[in-house]
Amino acid sequence: MQARSSPYRSWHHLAALWAIALLQPLFDLLGRSPEFFAAHHAGRAEILILVAVLAVAVPLLLAALVWLADLAGRRARSIVLGTIVALLAGAIAMQAARHAGLDTAKTVLPIAAIAGIGTAIAYHAFSTVRAFLSILSVAALVVPAWFLARPQVWRLWAPHASAEVRGEAAGPGAEGSDTPIVLVVLDETPLVSLLDADQKIDPVLYPHLAALARDGVWFRNTTTVSDYTRWALPAILSGQQPRPEAAPDARDYRRTLFTMLARDYRFESVEAVTRLCPDRLCGPAIAPLTARLGMIGSDLKILTLHLLLPSDMKQGLPKLTDDWANFGAAANAARRRRAAARRHRNRLRHLGAGDDLSQRAGIARRFIAGISREDPQPTLYFLHTMVSHTPYELLPGGRTNGTLSESKALRFPNALPGTYKEPWPDDEWAVSQVYQRHLLQLEYCDALIGTLVRRLKQTGLYDRALVIVLADHGAVIEPGVPRRDYMPRTSADISRVPLIVKVPAHRPPPAVPTQLVDGQRISDVAAETIDVLPTIAEAIGMRVPSWVDGVSLFSPSPPRTRTIAVDSATRKVPLDAAAVDLAGPLRRKLDLFGSSENRFRLPRPPRYGDLIGKTVASLRTAPGGGQVTVDYLSEFERMDLEGDPVPFDVAGRLEHADGGDPVYLAVAVNGVVRAVTRTWMEDPQHWLATPPLTAWQQGKNDLRIFLVTDGAGGPVLRQCTVRAGRDES
């Protein structure tokens, strides 16, 4: 019979299992991704508190539960201790199974249950198991020590790190410069998404970026130097090639645009996932310590669930996004706003401005509104915005798509931030519908640029300002490939980014060859994102710092070999002409969406696309379409076109589908076929269609769904019986 263990022994056994089950994988992820701490404005205090809570307090809490059970007797103690051991051992087994390629609940959960129960029984029965856990308890010390000692984390909390931001790296002043600088970085924006068939910025879909290209110079042949924000954004602000070990923090980047301008400029800066502007210049985090710790705790809970659960159990979790903070905010806001929409439809228009589903949009709008005629000049206005980034929720007018399908076929690769191995599905139709959402959200980004330009003109700053808009890197939305893993097939999507430079009216234009194409001034010089800082320096009359790797776009430069840093910036890949050729990606986009006349970017279905726009009365119809459900059916039958969120995706389930070949559905709104779609290969009973918002009328609408089949004289529309599907009260 097992001897009664002391509280200490229980504690260090549980600490060992806790360290292996959750502490090590979580600290490994955070150690590889110091941008988590930058996004949460976490410094020494937050990091040390985090380690103390996770490495010490949690094991002590588990031991306390065992101690309390012990007060009720040996049996109660054995039950509680065994349960905790089983849960922790099961968590270890679950992760091992997933690493072995088993990633569904029906395979992973039984393995976890068997391993957990077996370990708990062995723990009580065999002293060798307890002795092994005693030896393993050294992990409770090694794991947190290893985490704190990692170079990326050490530089964030070690006391000597603060000396790096005292200002000794400030560059030469811009004597007498009063030029305002406006620098906007759109996160994860591939250039191909903005282009029309003539490879210019589409003036219909993106009129404000096209207008900025008219007022300035659009460097059409610009490439990023990294495929990931952690290195791509510091490269823009430092003018230097990526360094693999560097954290996106002022401690690791002592020489940046901020320090270069420190003697003469004030700063209004929004950094989404970095802390490159030293606190002495941009101010410390304004949120109190308790609020920051609360957000860290909330996000760690979501990260832990994503670490543990198999893919098919993650559907209800908040999406992980590369802004690395507040993962649950969008999902919680969406639920609140949809519930409010049902309770008080007439209040919707009053809820929109102050209750953003996407905090990203609200941050960008507040930044723009904060630009004032009274601002002391010169000022650097810097905005790194995630509005262009996944998840794709926003429609061109800035309202939220309120009926997003939760089908697994429409998920974007939701690997943990910092890892992009999960590919898009192989279903071109499902991926094209995600692509559509991306393009619609970029139209809202364009609208934000328009709002920014109007604000600059209202304040009298536009003509005298240096305005630069660019992206830090691109992305790829294509079947069967990862969203952000660089490979030759995806090189152009990831490496080619927009870069537009509007110089002050009193400065001469850049001394590079340009051409005027439909009003847009275009340069095809081979530019890189590390050229932004030296271009700013020359534009305001400052000597270009000697420590930059980039070159000023104001001056002709000798030919050079451009590279992109991939695999966590450990490997540099040369970018030749073939690697950055956009012809293939652009052709695919045009094949899917056509010209800008397709205002809401409806993807072209593989079949029956010519039905769109025809009245139901002019087509052959018949009964026998079966039964379909439509999610949020009541919203479509009585539309509030002024609301936010607004219904957009019509999604549902085709009942009794046999799971064979995909079937086609036509969606008719008020007697006109407005969309044709098909069920998804990965999820053969589900479907989604996106009629344009202009198809709906305020109030009552007639929504009909038809199963499309081939007949002797052409397509036949077989009317479906429509039932209400998923709904939220």
Side-chain angles (χ1 to χ4, degrees), residues 425-498:
D426 286 325
D427 187 349
E428 174 73 277
W429 182 244
V431 175
S432 71
Q433 292 183 308
V434 182
Y435 201 167
Q436 177 194 19
R437 295 177 177 183
H438 160 69
L439 296 174
L440 292 174
Q441 187 157 295
L442 279 187
E443 289 190 55
Y444 179 61
C445 292
D446 178 79
L448 281 178
I449 297 300
T451 302
L452 171 65
V453 170
R454 286 193 299 274
R455 183 66 177 170
L456 292 173
K457 289 180 177 179
Q458 291 167 0
T459 57
L461 296 175
Y462 184 71
D463 287 339
R464 54 187 287 210
L466 172 66
V467 181
I468 300 178
V469 177
L470 77 158
D472 59 346
H473 56 78
V476 58
I477 307 176
E478 183 179 335
V481 298
R483 177 168 64 96
R484 288 265 297 281
D485 263 11
Y486 179 91
M487 57 184 65
R489 173 179 169 184
T490 62
S491 175
D493 298 88
I494 291 174
S495 66
R496 291 285 294 274
V497 294

Side-chain angles (χ1 to χ4, degrees), residues 216-230:
V217 177
W218 167 32
F219 291 89
R220 184 166 57 182
N221 193 16
T222 300
T223 58
T224 184
V225 294
S226 175
D227 56 353
Y228 188 34
T229 299
R230 173 179 165 184

Side-chain angles (χ1 to χ4, degrees), residues 44-129:
R44 184 187 314 163
E46 291 86 349
I47 292 173
L48 294 179
I49 291 172
L50 171 68
V51 171
V53 169
L54 292 180
V56 180
V58 171
L60 284 175
L61 177 61
L62 297 177
L65 293 175
V66 176
W67 179 79
L68 289 173
D70 189 47
L71 299 179
R74 179 173 297 182
R75 181 175 178 80
R77 180 184 186 280
S78 296
I79 291 173
V80 172
L81 179 58
T83 299
I84 296 174
V85 169
L87 289 174
L88 294 176
I92 296 172
M94 186 179 296
Q95 294 174 75
R98 292 188 59 210
H99 284 301
L102 303 176
D103 200 25
T104 61
K106 66 180 181 181
T107 56
V108 170
L109 293 183
I111 292 173
I114 293 171
I117 295 171
T119 302
I121 293 172
Y123 177 79
H124 283 287
F126 301 110
S127 60
T128 54
V129 174

